[in-house]
Amino acid sequence: MNILVINSGSSSLKYQLFKMPVKAPISSGLVERIGIEGSYIKHTVFKGDEKFVSEKSAFIADHGEGLKQVLSLLTKGELAVIASPDDITAVGHRVVHGGEHFSGPTLITEAVKEQIKKLFSLAPLHNPVNLKCIEVAEHTFKNAQQVAVFDTAFHQTIPQQAFRYAIPERYYKEEGIRVYGFHGTSHKYVSEQAIQWLNKKESKLISIHLGNGCSITAIKNGKSIDTSMGFGPLSGLVMGTRSGDIDPSVIFHLIEHAGYSLEQLSALFNKQSGLLGVGGSSDMRDIRKLAAAGDEHAVLSLELYAYRIKKFIGSYAAVLNGIDAVIFTAGVGENDKDMREAVCTELEFLGININRESNNRYNGGLMDISTDDSKIKILVIPTNEEFEIASQCYTLLQ
């Protein structure tokens, strides 16, 4: 069964083609800087242990044009992997916000598309793009089943005392204001890998997704019971450009005493804060270079980043009443050994002891980087959101 997975961001489109149930993709690619000067496409085909890469630069006006380019790469030229769009059985779409309506993979109908549209205001940068890609895919892959996999779905098991805010109930009932959580596909994938590795279905896990966006989730017996991102993806951990948790009084102050508009506040906390605002760059690799050169702002940004994660580990240890394993995943979680060490240092009271030698030599795959006497396992698990989406589509269609 050929399943094409489309993972679209605000200005990018990632794709992978799987011949399910095989985990390794046949092809993968990335369309970057959509609608921006300098657009380019990278297309990769996997044949056994070899991979063949094609890259080209060309202005891509929107996601619809990007998806047409992807179809051309999949069906034409030396790196074609299918004969026609009819070879695709299903297209799995990552959709960021599903509200309270979707708790699993969903066959896309007109009613589903209308619901995605109603949630535009909750994910203005992503849901409109997700819907656009769905509509283009419906016309491009006319015989394929279209399936939506929602970022928020995994968090629909969070209990009311964790997802409700302490504000009058009518704001929840009428406006849908509650914790929704994000990165659910990633947290679901790595937690399932951990449960399998631990051979322990009744488990207590803390999953830490550290990329440009960051979130941490408490997972009990395979189900999300609390998560750091809330109504939108701004709250919780320090991120590349987002502030994470901040006292709402700061917002009132900036409106009343500095004359900030809503647009300015949104830009400040979503696009100008986090590592960028404190350390001077949203890229952890740049921050590391600045810190190594003695930049005190970069050093502080790293300290803030690690400290916030530690606070959540402590609170989720209380919520779970114990921990079996802590999981690091995504770009920073998988590739920054120094951040993993900074987070896990001085957590011995909880039973978290990192093996620095193992941590330093990590170079991929699932790996335990805790000491032999650590009560809690520390795992690095590469996330694979695209395969998780393909797997959910495959299970649904089966």
Side-chain angles (χ1 to χ4, degrees), residues 47-112:
K47 295 181 179 180
D49 293 332
E50 292 185 282
K51 68 177 182 179
F52 304 87
V53 180
S54 160
E55 294 184 79
K56 72 172 183 177
S57 298
F59 180 68
I60 298 166
D62 55 31
H63 287 73
E65 176 59 30
L67 199 51
K68 290 174 185 174
Q69 295 276 359
V70 170
L71 175 62
S72 178
L73 289 165
L74 292 172
T75 58
K76 298 175 183 177
E78 293 181 358
L79 296 185
V81 289
I82 55 174
S84 78
D86 293 341
D87 291 340
I88 301 296
T89 307
V91 181
H93 299 267
R94 175 201 177 215
V95 181
V96 166
H97 216 306
E100 290 188 321
H101 306 280
F102 304 104
S103 58
T106 305
L107 286 173
I108 295 171
T109 63
E110 290 302 316
V112 170

Side-chain angles (χ1 to χ4, degrees), residues 346-364:
E346 296 185 353
L347 288 179
E348 294 86 0
F349 176 77
L350 286 176
I352 295 175
N353 290 275
I354 191 167
N355 184 322
R356 288 174 175 79
E357 183 182 340
S358 297
N359 182 48
N360 289 340
R361 72 166 186 267
Y362 174 77
N363 63 357

Side-chain angles (χ1 to χ4, degrees), residues 154 186-196 203 205 207 219 222 327 381:
F154 181 59
S186 176
H187 289 300
K188 182 176 187 294
Y189 176 80
V190 297
S191 62
E192 287 174 347
Q193 298 298 303
I195 289 167
Q196 185 177 356
S203 56
L205 307 174
S207 172
I219 302 166
I327 305 163
I381 305 178

